[in-house]
Amino acid sequence: MIIVLFGPPGAGKGTQSAKLMEKFGIPALSTGDMFRAAIAAETPVGVEVKSVMEAGDLVNDELVNRLVFERLEDPDCQNGVILDGYPRTVAQAEALDVWLQNHHLKLDKVIELKVDDEALIERRAGRLYAPKSKKVYHKDFNPPKVAGICDESGEKLIQRDDDKPDVVRHRLDVYNQQTAPVLGYYLAQQRLVTLDGMANIEDVYQHILQLLGAK
Ligand code: ADP
Ligand code: AMP
C-alpha cells in the first residue's frame, strides 16, 4: 500500500500518518521530518536546507527526490509506505511516478485533507512538536498529558520556527502556487480523493480508514 497524504501545512497530514502507521504497520515518510532531523544533526543536507526551510520555501526537487528514493529502498518500506509532505511539486510527482514504474509499483491513493485557511492558521499557531520522537500535538485540539512535555519521550515540546506567524502566511502562498497544482496531476490520474479535514482528528481518521476499505 502506497498512499500520499496531501494538503496545506497544518491540514493534519502528520497527525493522520502517525495513526495510519500504527494501524497498518508501515512507515510514514515525512520529508519535513527528514529535513528537520538533518538540520538537528548538522549533516551536509541539513546545512543546505536550513535557511530555505526557515523561510518557509521549498527545498529543491532534486534533493528531495534523491532522499525519498533512497529511503524507499529501505527494507521497512517494502510492504508499503505513507508519504506525508511529498510530492509537493508537479516535478516531484512526475519523478515519483517514474521511480514507481521502474520498481513495478503504483500509488494506491492520494488523499487530500481540505481545511480552510483560518483553521490552518489556528492549527499552526497551536502546534507543538517533539523533535526527537517527532510526535505532533496541539495545545487545545490534541494536548499532551502534561503541558509542554511529550507523552512518549518526556522531551520538551517546541514551536517550529516555520509555524511562527511571519512564516505561516508565506507557506500558504507557497502551497497555493507550487503544491496545489499537484492536485490536478493526480485528479487526471483518477487517484485523488478529497476529504473534509475540518472534522476532529478521530473523525478524519475513521473517514480515511473507510476510504482505504479498512473498516
Ligand atoms: P501537517 O502535517 O499537515 O502540517 P499536523 O498533523 O502537524 O499537520 O497538524 C497541524 C496541527 O493541527 C497540529 O497541532 C495537530 O495537533 C492539529 N490537528 C491535526 N488534525 C486536526 C484536526 N482534525 N482538528 C484539529 N486539530 C488538528
Ligand atoms: P513539513 O514538515 O511537511 O511542513 O515541511 C517543512 C518544510 O520542509 C517545508 O516548508 C519545506 O521547506 C521542506 N519540505 C518538506 N517536504 C518537502 C518537499 N516534498 N519538497 C520541498 N520541500 C519540502
Side-chain angles (χ1 to χ4, degrees):
M1 176 163 69
I2 305 176
I3 310 167
V4 171
L5 283 185
F6 199 91
K13 304 180 296 294
T15 302
Q16 296 301 330
S17 63
K19 292 169 84 68
L20 295 168
M21 172 166 77
E22 202 167 306
K23 164 92 179 166
F24 293 110
I26 56 174
L29 200 167
S30 154
T31 39
D33 279 344
M34 287 164 78
F35 290 131
R36 278 183 287 277
I39 291 172
E42 296 179 359
T43 65
V45 167
V47 172
E48 187 178 338
V49 303
K50 190 170 190 288
S51 58
V52 174
M53 258 184 92
E54 279 171 0
D57 290 316
L58 294 186
V59 173
N60 74 75
D61 291 333
E62 230 171 280
L63 176 58
V64 186
N65 289 334
R66 180 163 61 76
L67 290 185
V68 170
F69 300 156
E70 273 171 22
R71 179 70 183 89
L72 286 173
E73 300 277 0
D74 287 345
D76 65 325
C77 293
Q78 301 316 304
N79 290 328
V81 69
I82 302 150
L83 296 172
D84 158 12
Y86 178 89
R88 239 175 169 108
T89 61
V90 172
Q92 290 177 19
E94 287 169 348
L96 175 63
D97 271 346
V98 171
W99 188 92
L100 290 168
Q101 259 167 26
N102 289 342
H103 290 74
H104 310 290
L105 295 168
K106 65 169 185 58
L107 260 185
D108 291 289
K109 279 203 167 44
V110 177
I111 302 174
E112 180 199 10
L113 301 176
K114 213 172 170 64
V115 175
D116 67 39
D117 283 2
E118 288 319 306
L120 289 174
I121 288 167
E122 196 183 7
R123 288 184 186 186
R124 302 268 304 281
R127 170 156 63 184
L128 297 167
Y129 180 67
K132 291 206 181 81
S133 72
K134 307 200 169 44
K135 279 198 67 125
V136 175
Y137 300 85
H138 189 282
K139 68 180 179 49
D140 303 314
F141 306 139
N142 185 23
K145 293 193 180 90
V146 178
I149 302 292
C150 176
D151 296 348
E152 203 174 279
S153 61
E155 72 196 287
K156 204 166 167 284
L157 300 175
I158 57 159
Q159 185 183 34
R160 281 170 43 179
D161 283 333
D162 58 359
D163 278 345
K164 294 186 174 151
D166 47 338
V167 186
V168 166
R169 286 270 175 202
H170 177 63
R171 288 190 72 205
L172 271 180
D173 291 342
V174 168
Y175 174 82
N176 289 325
Q177 284 160 21
Q178 298 182 57
T179 305
V182 178
L183 290 168
Y185 179 84
Y186 286 127
L187 190 66
Q189 288 190 357
Q190 298 183 323
R191 290 190 205 287
L192 182 70
V193 194
T194 299
L195 291 191
D196 176 16
M198 294 291 288
N200 66 45
I201 292 173
E202 188 55 30
D203 286 353
V204 174
Y205 176 58
Q206 293 303 326
H207 204 161
I208 295 177
L209 291 185
Q210 241 170 31
L211 201 104
L212 296 173
K215 263 196 81 188

